[in-house]
């Protein structure tokens, strides 16, 4: 798979280990859980719309969700990361975090690697067993198979399509060692059970597994640990709670009372404390804290290089507080006890670039490096929007654009919740907005990234690009997304259609082999019901067309009948790409596939 690096010797010790095909997965064994864990798994199934899963499948999803959430704090669909039975090499759940983005699709990984200047990568591997006890040999077998997966030139044993895809991801990440200048990828391996951690033999096997993986020289860090019922409960609680932080800020000024602002302070914070606040439990940067920033991290452009040089310069770093504008934190909850401050449900609305550079340069931070902090407590969305606008004036985005776009997102949030219960969706305008609300079914939470994909697929004729790396779509079609003049109902319509399609998959009403074409199905629904043209100009006319789609989508029988009618068109378009007719991610991600699908849909009886 990988050639040895003659200069660095990174892969010089790579060798092949025997494959262990007979891993005891216990998929068919009766799930035995304590009452609390069983209740949490059932709650998880209910909230995620996963009622059709078997008990063991649900536990795998639950464990995977808990583990991945400890490294990635934004909303995600745990089903996308479960490997499934047969040929999984003992890997029940897998995920990859690349520069803060959660990925697993090989095409997405290739795009992320191609776009990045440098790579910060973590592999997350989970095996979940449903018994109350731990089997010590699981760590040994799993580490052997992971060594095979990462280091062997070819996989000589049967592997599921999901494992083959994971192998492609691995190849793409290690293909360009120059981009791994920050360090080789880290790997976190978790063995989850409903038992109690503490067996000495289990600990011995865990250490042996860490050593085996470390000896490959493929990883900068190898972290393996067991998770019992108690650990899983703690992780689940953390995953479903709003982000919080505690710190001490003795040097601060309390600002005078202001309308709709509960408390506000100006102060300085040791840069090391700031880095601790923005570091997630897995050691990565908490991307969700910058959700309301106008600009994501811009990599090392001239401004960020200056910040970096200031930190690296021993003569300048302790003057950082007067050389940098600092950051602005807006929190919805704040508790003050002396100099100790506890904040919950907060965002860093300005200072994204500063935070990322300090995070990267944490090794160069000394006790004398401080950061200016504006800390504001408010629950009023208009106040928070105003702060975001005012503190981002130095960017190329105009105040009017900031206000108009944020108003549009607020309008979407209100529109989504305005529908009756069966048709209600929840637009997550800020990260983890609904995570602690048990009454909200998590499948009905629509993130900004998923809404971008669904709208682009349905109304911008971009299903082939929507299924790829999200940042690529966002950058290429940014001017066509979330514009104030657009119909907000069109965004809701695309989200509702995507929800219905996922519902059909979850409830096994349509074959999961069509899952790679879910974005193409969005385009097909729009083409069949409205034709190939764009939505008409003007919200009233556009809304009238959208209601034609919604009338079908929210009628369960009609929606299923329509999707079933469109599936043969998917099959025909797939055979043009591949005579075998197998529907893969690569098959559907061509413009030719989209064009052929539109043509076949137009030929169907009843199409507009």
């Amino acid at each position: 798979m990988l050639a040895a690096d003659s200069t660095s010797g990174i892969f010089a010790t790579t060798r092949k280990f025997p494959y262990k095909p007979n891993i005891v997965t216990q998929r068919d064994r009766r799930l035995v859980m304590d009452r609390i864990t069983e209740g949490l798994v059932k709650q998880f199934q209910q909230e995620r719309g996963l009622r059709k899963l078997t008990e063991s499948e649900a536990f795998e999803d639950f464990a995977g969700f808990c583990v991945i959430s400890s490294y990635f704090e934004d909303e995600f669909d745990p089903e996308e990361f479960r490997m499934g039975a047969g040929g999984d090499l003992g890997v029940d759940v897998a995920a990859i975090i690349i520069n803060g983005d959660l990925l697993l699709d090989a095409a997405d990984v290739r795009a992320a690697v191609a776009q990045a200047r440098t790579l910060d990568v973590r592999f997350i591997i989970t095996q979940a067993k449903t018994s109350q006890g731990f089997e010590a040999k699981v760590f040994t077998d799993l580490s052997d198979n992971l060594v095979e997966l990462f280091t062997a030139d070819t996989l000589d044993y049967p592997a599921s399509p999901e494992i083959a895809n994971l192998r492609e991801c691995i190849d793409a990440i290690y293909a360009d060692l120059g981009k791994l200048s920050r360090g080789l990828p880290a790997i976190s391996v978790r063995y989850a059970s409903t038992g109690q951690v503490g067996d000495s033999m289990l600990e011995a096997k865990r250490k042996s597994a860490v050593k085996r993986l470390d000896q490959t020289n493929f990883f900068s860090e190898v972290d393996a640990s067991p998770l019992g019922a108690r650990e899983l409960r703690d992780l689940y609680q953390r995953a479903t709670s709003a982000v919080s932080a505690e710190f001490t800020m003795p040097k601060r000024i309390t600002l005078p009372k202001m309308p709709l602002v509960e408390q506000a302070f100006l102060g300085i914070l040791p840069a090391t404390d700031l880095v601790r606040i923005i570091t997630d439990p897995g050691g990565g940067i908490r991307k969700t804290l910058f959700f309301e920033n106008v600009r994501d991290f811009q990599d090392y452009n001239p401004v960020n290089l200056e910040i970096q040089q200031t930190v690296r310069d021993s003569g300048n770093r302790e003057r950082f507080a007067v050389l940098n504008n600092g950051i602005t934190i807006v929190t919805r909850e704040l508790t003050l006890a002396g100099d100790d401050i506890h904040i919950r449900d907060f965002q860093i609305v300005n200072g994204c670039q500063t935070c990322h550079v300090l995070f990267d340069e944490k090794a160069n931070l000394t006790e004398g490096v401080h950061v200016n902090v504006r800390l504001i407590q408010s629950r009023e969305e208009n106040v928070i929007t105003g702060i975001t606008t005012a503190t981002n004036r130095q960017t190329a985005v105009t105040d009017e654009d900031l206000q108009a776009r944020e108003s549009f997102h607020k309008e979407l949030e209100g529109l989504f919740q305005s529908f009756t219960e069966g048709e209600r969706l929840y637009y997550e305008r800020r990260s983890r907005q609904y995570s602690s609300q048990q009454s909200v079914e998590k499948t009905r939470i629509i993130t900004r990234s998923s809404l971008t994909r669904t709208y682009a697929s349905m109304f911008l004729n971009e299903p082939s690009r929507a299924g790829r790396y999200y940042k690529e779509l966002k950058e290429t079609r940014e001017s066509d997304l979330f514009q104030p003049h657009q119909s907000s109902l069109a965004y809701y319509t695309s989200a509702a259609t995507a929800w219905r399609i996922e519902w059909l998959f979850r409830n096994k009403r349509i074959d999961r082999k069509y899952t790679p074409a879910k974005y193409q199905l969005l385009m097909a629904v729009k083409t069949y019901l409205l034709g190939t043209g764009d939505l008409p100009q003007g919200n009233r006319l556009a809304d009238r067309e959208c209601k034609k789609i919604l009338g079908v989508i929210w009628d369960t029988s009609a929606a299923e009948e329509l999707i079933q009618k469109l599936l043969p068109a998917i099959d025909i378009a797939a055979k043009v790409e591949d005579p075998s007719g197998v529907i893969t991610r690569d098959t559907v991600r061509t413009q030719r596939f989209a064009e052929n699908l539109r043509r076949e849909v137009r030929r169907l009886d009843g199409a507009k």
Side-chain angles (χ1 to χ4, degrees):
M1 176 179 70
L2 299 166
D5 186 335
S6 59
T7 57
S8 66
I10 289 175
F11 302 118
T13 62
T14 297
R15 67 186 181 88
K16 211 170 181 181
F17 288 85
Y19 176 66
K20 304 278 187 178
N22 295 320
I23 291 180
V24 180
T25 65
Q26 297 188 4
R27 292 182 186 276
D28 299 322
R29 190 176 296 181
R30 171 69 182 166
L31 182 64
V32 181
M33 290 185 282
D34 64 277
R35 182 173 295 182
I36 297 176
T37 306
E38 183 178 13
L40 289 178
V41 173
K42 287 182 177 178
Q43 174 187 319
F44 173 79
Q45 281 186 272
Q46 181 80 13
E47 292 178 347
R48 299 278 166 180
L50 301 173
R51 301 172 187 85
K52 294 292 185 179
L53 295 184
T54 65
E55 288 180 319
S56 58
E57 290 171 341
F59 184 71
E60 288 174 0
D61 264 12
F62 175 76
F65 172 78
C66 291
V67 173
I68 295 171
S69 292
S70 66
Y71 295 96
F72 182 78
E73 295 181 316
D74 210 348
E75 185 68 30
F76 64 92
D77 181 1
E79 266 288 89
E80 293 185 5
F81 300 91
R82 185 164 60 88
M83 296 287 100
D88 60 10
L89 277 68
V91 177
D92 293 327
V93 178
I96 306 169
I97 297 178
I98 300 180
N99 295 347
D101 294 315
L102 181 65
L103 305 171
L104 188 58
D105 182 275
D108 286 347
V109 169
R110 285 192 291 268
V113 170
Q115 290 189 15
R117 295 182 184 179
T118 58
L119 293 174
D120 180 12
V121 180
R122 179 176 294 273
F123 293 97
I124 303 171
I125 304 294
T126 301
Q127 183 171 158
K129 287 182 173 292
T130 59
S131 60
Q132 284 190 327
F134 286 93
E135 296 181 51
K137 71 168 188 171
V138 167
F139 272 128
T140 301
D141 291 344
L142 185 56
S143 63
D144 283 350
N145 290 333
L146 289 175
V147 169
E148 172 82 8
L149 180 64
F150 276 85
T151 68
D153 293 330
T154 58
L155 289 177
D156 296 329
Y157 297 91
S160 67
E162 292 85 0
I163 290 296
N165 171 73
L166 178 57
R167 173 58 180 259
E168 288 185 46
C169 294
I170 294 168
D171 289 346
I173 290 167
Y174 286 97
D176 188 347
L177 295 179
K179 290 191 175 184
L180 294 169
S181 57
R182 295 184 185 178
L184 290 170
I187 185 169
S188 297
V189 181
R190 298 291 182 266
Y191 169 21
S193 172
T194 61
Q196 183 176 348
V197 176
D199 182 83
S200 59
M201 179 60 71
L202 181 67
E203 176 61 13
K205 293 295 186 181
R206 183 197 68 81
K207 289 181 178 178
S208 177
V210 169
K211 183 177 180 181
R212 172 65 60 86
L213 289 166
D214 191 50
Q215 287 176 338
T216 64
N217 290 329
F218 267 55
F219 310 107
S220 63
E221 171 195 337
V222 178
D223 172 27
S225 63
L227 299 174
R230 185 183 300 275
E231 289 76 20
L232 286 172
R233 290 199 296 267
D234 290 344
L235 288 177
Y236 186 68
Q237 182 178 13
R238 186 189 306 163
T240 54
S241 301
V243 177
S244 62
E246 293 182 357
F247 54 91
T248 301
M249 193 163 66
K251 298 178 181 180
R252 66 181 188 277
I253 298 172
T254 303
L255 296 180
K257 187 175 181 180
M258 290 172 267
L260 304 180
V261 174
E262 297 175 45
Q263 300 182 81
F265 306 96
L266 294 179
I268 60 172
L269 192 66
T272 51
D273 281 358
L274 176 61
V275 169
R276 176 177 55 79
I277 291 169
I278 64 175
T279 301
D280 65 28
I285 192 164
R286 299 168 96 167
K287 287 283 189 180
T288 55
L289 294 182
F290 309 99
F291 192 77
E292 294 185 12
N293 265 250
V294 177
R295 289 281 184 259
D296 197 357
F297 181 51
Q298 300 296 293
D299 214 327
Y300 283 91
N301 58 21
V303 173
N304 290 339
L305 282 172
E306 284 186 24
I307 299 174
Q308 182 188 62
Q309 290 305 315
T310 300
V311 176
R312 291 183 175 181
D313 187 333
S314 59
N316 264 338
R317 66 167 66 110
E318 296 194 2
R319 291 193 286 269
F320 190 84
V322 297
L323 296 174
N324 183 271
N325 290 331
I327 69 170
T328 301
I329 301 175
V330 175
T331 182
R332 289 164 177 84
E333 296 182 23
L334 186 152
T335 304
L336 184 64
D339 293 332
D340 296 331
I341 296 175
H342 177 88
I343 56 178
R344 183 177 181 275
D345 196 5
F346 68 96
Q347 284 278 302
I348 298 176
V349 300
N350 181 253
C352 176
Q353 312 306 312
T354 295
C355 288
H356 277 75
V357 175
L358 290 176
F359 179 84
D360 286 347
E361 295 297 317
K362 51 182 172 282
N364 291 316
L365 299 180
T366 62
E367 292 182 0
V369 183
H370 290 81
V371 182
N372 295 310
V373 176
R374 228 185 252 105
L375 178 59
I376 303 161
Q377 181 189 7
S378 179
R379 296 176 181 272
E380 294 294 325
E381 296 298 331
N382 289 334
V383 174
I384 296 170
T385 299
I387 294 168
T388 303
T389 301
T391 55
N392 281 280
R393 282 197 175 117
Q394 69 272 23
T395 69
V397 183
T398 67
D399 290 353
E400 293 76 13
D401 186 40
L402 281 168
Q403 291 170 348
R405 289 201 177 200
E406 191 57 34
S407 295
F408 188 68
H409 286 291
K410 283 186 182 179
E411 181 182 339
L412 289 175
E413 182 183 18
L415 173 70
F416 277 47
Q417 292 192 46
S418 69
F419 288 84
T420 56
E421 184 175 352
E423 300 177 4
R424 187 176 302 144
L425 301 174
Y426 299 85
Y427 177 50
E428 191 175 65
R429 194 165 53 81
R430 66 178 193 273
S431 182
R432 286 200 173 182
Q433 189 170 347
Y434 303 103
S435 60
S436 60
Q437 297 185 28
Q438 293 186 12
S439 60
V440 175
E441 184 181 314
K442 298 305 182 282
T443 63
R444 292 178 177 267
I445 296 175
I446 310 300
T447 64
R448 191 172 299 197
S449 62
S450 64
L451 189 57
T452 298
R453 294 176 188 270
T454 60
Y455 181 84
S457 299
M458 180 167 265
F459 295 113
L460 298 182
N461 290 319
E462 288 278 20
S464 56
R465 185 173 278 134
R468 298 178 188 171
Y469 188 40
Y470 166 64
K471 288 184 178 179
E472 178 184 328
L473 172 64
K474 182 181 175 183
E475 290 172 3
T476 55
R477 298 305 296 261
E478 185 174 10
S479 61
D480 299 316
L481 294 164
F482 303 112
Q483 297 298 320
H485 66 272
Q486 293 175 328
S487 164
S488 55
L489 189 63
Y491 284 87
Y492 170 81
T493 301
S494 71
T497 307
W499 181 89
R500 176 58 71 192
I501 291 171
E502 292 288 358
W503 184 90
L504 292 168
F505 280 128
R506 284 196 308 274
N507 288 277
K508 301 180 180 180
R509 310 293 276 270
I510 54 177
D511 197 322
R512 291 200 68 84
K513 74 175 185 178
Y514 294 103
T515 303
K518 61 183 180 180
Y519 294 113
Q520 285 70 16
L521 276 171
L522 285 169
M523 180 194 69
V525 168
K526 183 264 178 186
T527 300
Y528 183 86
L529 294 175
L530 304 184
T532 57
D534 295 334
L535 278 179
Q537 296 295 316
N539 286 350
R540 186 176 61 83
L541 295 175
D543 288 356
R544 185 177 65 186
E545 294 296 286
C546 289
K547 288 175 182 177
K548 296 177 183 178
I549 297 176
L550 293 172
V552 175
I553 290 304
W554 289 124
D555 181 329
T556 305
S557 298
E560 182 175 357
E561 182 181 346
L562 172 59
I563 299 301
Q564 292 286 3
K565 190 171 188 176
L566 295 172
L567 295 181
I570 297 281
D571 291 328
I572 293 172
K575 285 185 178 180
V576 174
E577 299 297 313
D578 183 345
S580 70
V582 176
I583 301 169
T584 66
R585 295 176 177 90
D586 291 333
T587 301
V588 303
R589 283 175 174 167
T590 66
Q591 192 59 36
R592 182 174 63 182
F593 181 91
E595 291 171 357
N596 288 333
L597 177 58
R598 275 194 295 268
R599 184 181 65 249
E600 293 303 323
V601 170
R602 293 298 302 278
R603 290 177 176 174
L604 294 175
D605 180 47
K608 299 296 182 183

